Amino acid sequence: MFKGILPSKRISSSEFTMLTSLGDISNGKENVPDPVAVVQAKPPKGTLQKDKGKHEKSKSTNAPQGAPVEPVVMNQAFDQLLDELQIPSTLRPKLAGMDATVKAAMLKSSHVLTANPPAATAAPATPRTMRKARSIESITSPHAPLSAMSSDSQPRRGGLWGSALAGKSTTDLHAMESSDKSHARGASFDATRKLSSAQAPMTAGELVPSKSKEKALGKGITAVKLCSILSSSSSTTLDIEFVKKLRLMLRNETASWTEDFLCAGGYSALLTRLNEILEVEWREEQHDDQMLHELLRCFKALSTSSIGCFALRSSCPTPFVQLISLLYSDKKPGDVATRQLIVELLLILFELYPSSSLPSNGGRPRRETWRSTGSSSNHITLPTPHKNFFSLIRAVLLTPAPPPTESPATPVSPHAFIESLHRPRIYKSYLQELSDVCRDYFWVFCHPNNTVWNLLEVDEGRVEKPKAPGGMTGGVEFEAMGYFTTHLKLVNAISKSVHELNMSKEHEMSALRFHADLFSSGLERVILISRKASTAYYPTLHLELARYIQWASLARFELPWTVSRLIGSPPPALCKVRHSKSSKGDGQIPHNSPSKRSAPPPGFIGLPSPKRVEPIKLE
């Protein structure tokens, strides 16, 4: 078939014209052998064997140097490394359970960092083994860093942690709200002294104009310069790559770097940038929404160090109240990952205020001082006026929802007789977010035969073990169900904290009152819809549902009939004890009449006892 296309005979090379002669070709540009090159002769066989013997001998002599370190010595060195990095106590048990090889690699990398520190252009940074005794005298308003810029546009080293406030104590934001207008910051900058090149103000565009400069960002910039750029730039004009680099440095750099950043006013600058982006009426999806996402990641990165947790406690409940108000408004982010970051920041509150936190005394708030040892001088104190942590997280969740954009100018109030019949549903704004997820991703809940698992029969280790990605992972449904599961984790964490209070049933802060308020606000409908999600792709969601049912049962709350009749065993692969003969319908509702009630699972507490109803006889 190719006879009409291919020539009948091979064309001789004489018909072609050579444009470049072989003599004009330079060496190294074409595949022409270099006559000058000298070919190395092969060494004799005896030499190879001799070199091989020397190599093996040197390898055997160097073997003792790479011998594994004893576990006791390694654990002591690893604990010392955690102390130097100011790892919070909540993360230490997870890091202590890592493999010995991973610990050895972390110790080796830490030795490399201390042996080869980066060349600093300004004054030498504080070593990791030393801490500066800085703390807070008071909390400035989020717009304070803007006033830190003088008429010459020179940044002051102050803000949240000024050098003039070193060694002093901190108070909460609640106590300083009334005195913000009359608050004067201590002088921490000499106006006659000129700034060095490392402290000169710099725009974010000059900092990261290209990828080549982005790679060199972490090498030549200091924490003070980062803070000055963050303070002098607006959120709408700030480069997103700059905020990403800031988040990486807050998470990966040493604790002394984070301390220098906070002492230069970095936390106050972060609060200012967050308030600016939240006050934007219409955020741009390409820049503003991404800027909000990266700023939230910066706040989350602060929770990885003790000095960062100290900063987050300093202005609590800011910015958590502003974030939950954003979640309740019609300006909430459309990206599920950004909303999940807001819920994760609420979960960080449980790490910031452990169960040993002291209650607020109502008058002058207790002061918490940062010491050079990497810990607080006193016990952690709850913000005013909260006596326990459940009061704090409850007040955050009960933040009033902002009015909708198209709301009428004059609010409409119901009549008096309608207002008297109204039942308070205090958690309706919060549960509306969970209900919206069930509405927006309705096609996920397509398994009506699923049960609500009995936690006593669930093997939690098998459910929470990491799995390789596959199937439905990575899609919008998987992301939404992860966000929904994070909400359930928050509800379970609150249920645990209120259960530890052990209040009486009649008390407003009791566990029974908490669960009753949740069900009156619409949690029953959320449970009935969410249990229809796939048990194969979303087992963690079902586990969190089972944990909540367990907390409600421990509070002696009587579950509604629509929920209690659905409680059953999990799938056979996730049970603690696998039965030899498992039926095909395990993990699903038995097909019986809705009016008949099956016996409660053995060992389960809190379920209402079945009541026998006598039929009505008509004669």
Side-chain angles (χ1 to χ4, degrees):
M1 60 183 293
F2 298 102
K3 289 182 179 182
I5 301 176
L6 298 177
S8 59
K9 61 178 181 177
R10 181 178 298 176
I11 303 175
S12 59
S13 61
S14 61
E15 297 181 9
F16 293 95
T17 303
M18 300 295 294
L19 298 178
T20 305
S21 60
L22 295 176
D24 296 338
I25 300 175
S26 59
N27 295 331
K29 299 296 183 181
E30 298 289 345
N31 294 329
V32 180
D34 190 0
V36 189
V38 181
V39 180
Q40 296 181 358
K42 291 184 178 181
K45 187 176 182 180
T47 309
L48 289 175
Q49 295 178 355
K50 186 176 180 180
D51 294 341
K52 186 177 181 181
K54 289 182 179 180
H55 180 68
E56 292 178 354
K57 185 176 180 181
S58 63
K59 190 175 182 180
S60 62
T61 55
N62 295 334
Q65 297 179 359
V69 188
E70 296 182 0
V72 179
V73 180
M74 180 185 297
N75 292 334
Q76 293 178 355
F78 189 71
D79 292 339
Q80 184 179 1
L81 176 62
L82 296 183
D83 293 337
E84 293 177 357
L85 295 179
Q86 295 184 2
I87 302 298
S89 58
T90 54
L91 293 178
R92 296 198 177 209
K94 300 179 182 179
L95 297 176
M98 294 190 306
D99 192 20
T101 56
V102 180
K103 293 182 179 179
M106 293 180 65
L107 290 173
K108 184 178 179 181
S109 62
S110 65
H111 293 326
V112 172
L113 289 175
T114 54
N116 301 322
T121 57
T126 307
R128 288 195 322 177
T129 56
M130 298 177 62
R131 301 290 178 190
K132 296 180 181 180
R134 286 193 178 98
S135 61
I136 315 171
E137 170 65 23
S138 61
I139 305 304
T140 59
S141 63
H143 297 282
L146 296 178
S147 63
M149 305 300 295
S150 62
S151 59
D152 300 332
S153 297
Q154 294 178 346
R156 296 187 181 183
R157 181 179 175 86
L160 191 60
W161 280 273
S163 58
L165 304 179
K168 296 184 179 180
S169 58
T170 177
T171 56
D172 291 302
L173 182 63
H174 304 278
M176 298 304 300
E177 287 179 352
S178 59
S179 60
D180 278 341
K181 297 182 180 179
S182 61
H183 174 69
R185 288 166 42 179
S188 59
F189 177 77
D190 188 3
T192 59
R193 182 175 58 87
K194 294 183 178 181
L195 291 173
S196 63
S197 60
Q199 296 175 341
M202 193 175 184
T203 62
E206 297 175 356
L207 181 65
V208 194
S210 62
K211 292 184 179 180
S212 58
K213 289 191 176 183
E214 180 186 350
K215 295 180 180 179
L217 177 62
K219 297 182 180 179
I221 193 169
T222 60
V224 179
K225 185 181 292 185
L226 265 175
C227 180
S228 65
I229 296 170
L230 189 64
S231 302
S232 59
S233 303
S234 175
S235 297
T236 56
T237 59
L238 194 62
D239 196 348
I240 297 177
E241 296 298 327
F242 167 76
V243 186
K244 287 183 180 180
K245 193 62 183 179
L246 173 62
R247 185 256 307 171
L248 290 174
M249 300 184 80
L250 286 174
R251 189 174 183 88
N252 300 330
E253 287 291 333
T254 59
S256 60
W257 191 96
T258 306
E259 184 177 357
D260 292 339
F261 174 77
L262 296 176
C263 291
Y267 188 66
S268 183
L270 281 175
L271 290 177
T272 306
R273 300 286 80 82
L274 180 63
N275 283 347
E276 285 180 356
I277 206 67
L278 292 181
E279 291 173 359
V280 175
E281 186 175 0
W282 298 105
R283 295 190 305 270
E284 295 181 0
E285 184 178 356
Q286 299 298 328
H287 179 270
D288 296 344
D289 284 350
Q290 295 183 21
M291 178 61 64
L292 174 62
H293 184 81
E294 294 301 327
L295 286 174
L296 293 179
R297 297 181 75 181
C298 289
F299 282 98
K300 186 178 178 182
L302 287 174
S303 65
T304 58
S305 62
S306 297
I307 181 66
C309 294
F310 178 79
L312 291 172
R313 284 193 300 267
S314 62
S315 60
C316 187
T318 303
F320 305 101
V321 173
Q322 287 80 0
L323 293 178
I324 202 68
S325 179
L326 173 66
L327 199 63
Y328 293 166
S329 67
D330 51 3
K331 297 181 357 180
K332 64 182 177 183
D335 190 11
V336 175
T338 306
R339 285 184 278 169
Q340 184 170 351
L341 276 174
I342 297 176
V343 183
E344 289 175 354
L345 286 174
L346 294 179
L347 283 171
I348 290 177
L349 282 173
F350 292 86
E351 302 177 4
L352 298 179
Y353 296 98
S355 57
S356 59
S357 301
L358 298 177
S360 175
N361 54 7
R364 185 178 180 182
R366 299 176 184 267
R367 294 184 174 183
E368 183 182 357
T369 307
W370 180 258
R371 288 182 173 180
S372 60
T373 56
S375 60
S376 302
S377 60
N378 301 326
H379 292 287
I380 299 173
T381 308
L382 291 167
T384 307
H386 304 290
K387 301 296 183 180
N388 51 66
F389 178 77
F390 174 66
S391 174
L392 171 63
I393 193 65
R394 183 176 180 267
V396 172
L397 289 183
L398 295 183
T399 301
T405 307
E406 299 180 355
S407 60
T410 57
V412 179
S413 58
H415 294 284
F417 70 93
I418 297 179
E419 187 70 22
S420 62
L421 297 176
H422 176 70
R423 295 178 57 189
R425 297 175 174 88
I426 59 176
Y427 296 108
K428 184 178 180 180
S429 299
Y430 174 72
L431 293 179
Q432 185 63 39
E433 178 66 18
L434 279 74
S435 181
D436 290 346
V437 176
C438 298
R439 179 200 61 195
D440 297 338
Y441 302 89
F442 62 91
W443 62 89
V444 180
F445 311 102
C446 57
H447 302 273
N449 293 331
N450 287 348
T451 61
V452 179
W453 294 353
N454 181 11
L455 188 63
L456 300 177
E457 302 180 15
V458 180
D459 190 348
E460 302 181 28
R462 293 179 185 174
V463 177
E464 294 180 327
K465 70 177 181 180
K467 297 180 181 180
M472 296 290 291
T473 57
V476 291
E477 300 91 351
F478 191 82
E479 190 178 32
M481 292 304 102
Y483 172 58
F484 190 89
T485 306
T486 308
H487 272 288
L488 293 179
K489 289 181 180 179
L490 176 62
V491 174
N492 288 332
I494 299 175
S495 301
K496 180 181 178 181
S497 65
V498 68
H499 179 76
E500 292 175 351
L501 294 178
N502 198 17
M503 295 286 187
S504 60
K505 296 180 180 181
E506 295 78 13
H507 199 276
E508 186 182 4
M509 297 292 178
S510 64
L512 181 64
R513 181 70 176 273
F514 170 68
H515 295 290
D517 290 338
L518 281 177
F519 273 89
S520 63
S521 302
L523 184 61
E524 177 183 353
R525 180 174 177 270
V526 174
I527 294 176
L528 294 178
I529 297 178
S530 59
R531 58 98 188 176
K532 298 179 183 179
S534 173
T535 58
Y537 294 121
Y538 315 114
T540 313
L541 186 149
H542 290 271
L543 177 61
E544 296 300 330
L545 279 178
R547 285 172 175 170
Y548 174 75
I549 295 299
Q550 182 71 9
W551 286 118
S553 302
L554 291 176
R556 300 300 175 183
F557 176 74
E558 186 174 356
L559 297 172
W561 163 250
T562 54
V563 177
S564 60
R565 74 182 184 90
L566 297 177
I567 295 176
S569 302
L574 303 177
C575 289
K576 288 184 178 179
V577 180
R578 296 189 181 183
H579 303 284
S580 57
K581 296 181 180 180
S582 59
S583 61
K584 185 178 180 180
D586 284 343
Q588 298 182 352
I589 305 172
H591 298 278
N592 53 2
S593 174
S595 60
K596 295 182 180 180
R597 180 173 182 174
S598 58
F604 191 79
I605 61 173
L607 289 179
S609 58
K611 299 178 181 179
R612 185 178 179 180
V613 180
E614 296 291 339
I616 300 177
K617 297 180 181 181
L618 299 176
E619 296 179 354

